[in-house]
Amino acid sequence: MAILISAFIQLFIFTSVPFLWWLIVNKRRQPFFVWIGLKKPMIDDKKQWWITFAATLLLLCGPLFFILTTRVDTMAVAASQFAGLGAKAIIPAFIFSYLQTGLSEEILFRGFLGKRCIHAFGFAIGNFIQATCFGLVHGLMFLFLTDIAGTIVIIFVTGTAGWLMGWINEKLSKGSIVSSWLLHGSTNMISCILMMFSLIVSN
């Protein structure tokens, strides 16, 4: 129950700024969920969608697994709350991965920041801005958990993944953030599973 409450609190916080912005500038034009892209994805090229999805998942999981096992105190990261709990943590980990972090961050970065920047500056610049912000925020989160080299790698990897998630939304899913939500949540869920079954040990 605590993880569910925490998830809704974070979701509320991360959605508040986009919602207030929508109320002020866009209320009469589009429904809020359409405005942030929380709608059914319309995928024309399913092959390219799956290739992008898999490539982004590998990009996130590969280097970050290396960092977690070699350069970070894994007990300090958020997924460590499920360390050693095994299968009984599946539901709490799912809520944490897909609702608390996945959905809330996708609403803020791809649904709000990305779409506003793309609308203002075009896809190339707008998507780069949201991806850079996404990478920098994650770099700051790990700033005191790893060294400079590890932080730089995290910024680069998460920033690149952020760009790809913007691409899969805007170019392959007709503007739906559901695609990046599934991708983001799946990445977090993999981290949780590694912790749950002690497949990552603390450095």
Side-chain angles (χ1 to χ4, degrees):
M1 182 59 72
I3 190 71
L4 188 59
I5 293 171
S6 178
F8 278 114
I9 290 173
Q10 182 167 323
L11 187 59
F12 174 78
I13 292 170
F14 277 54
T15 306
S16 294
V17 171
F19 185 74
L20 290 173
W21 188 287
W22 170 81
L23 277 178
I24 295 169
V25 304
N26 217 76
K27 182 179 178 181
R28 296 180 184 276
R29 300 178 194 172
Q30 287 178 303
F32 176 67
F33 290 123
V34 173
W35 186 71
I36 60 171
L38 198 54
K39 58 184 181 179
K40 181 180 179 181
M42 305 298 290
I43 303 168
D44 293 328
D45 192 337
K46 290 182 173 60
K47 182 179 178 180
Q48 189 176 7
W49 186 94
W50 277 111
I51 290 172
T52 305
F53 189 97
T56 308
L57 196 61
L58 288 173
L59 174 69
L60 278 168
C61 292
L64 293 182
F65 177 80
F66 172 77
I67 292 168
L68 285 174
T69 53
T70 61
R71 311 186 80 96
V72 173
D73 177 4
T74 52
M75 289 297 101
V77 301
S80 66
Q81 63 187 296
F82 307 111
L85 296 179
K88 66 182 180 181
I90 285 288
I91 293 176
F94 187 89
I95 293 170
F96 169 80
S97 299
Y98 287 94
L99 187 61
Q100 182 169 345
T101 54
L103 181 57
S104 61
E105 290 183 17
E106 288 311 306
I107 287 174
L108 183 62
F109 286 100
R110 255 65 66 185
F112 176 59
L113 180 61
K115 287 184 179 298
R116 305 295 71 76
C117 289
I118 290 169
H119 179 74
F121 307 112
F123 177 77
I125 295 175
N127 199 42
F128 178 79
I129 291 172
Q130 69 81 12
T132 301
C133 292
F134 187 68
L136 289 172
V137 166
H138 282 79
L140 288 173
M141 289 166 57
F142 281 85
L143 187 61
F144 300 107
L145 302 179
T146 186
D147 55 18
I148 295 298
T151 301
I152 291 171
V153 171
I154 288 169
I155 291 171
F156 177 77
V157 170
T158 55
T160 303
W163 191 93
L164 288 169
M165 287 192 282
W167 172 272
I168 200 172
N169 288 345
E170 301 301 325
K171 298 298 185 179
L172 302 179
S173 307
K174 298 291 195 298
S176 172
I177 66 168
V178 171
S179 293
S180 61
W181 174 19
L182 292 174
L183 183 51
H184 196 153
S186 297
T187 303
N188 292 343
M189 190 66 188
I190 289 170
S191 297
C192 290
I193 289 171
L194 293 173
M195 289 288 188
M196 287 158 50
F197 295 99
S198 302
L199 300 175
I200 292 180
V201 295
S202 183
N203 300 305

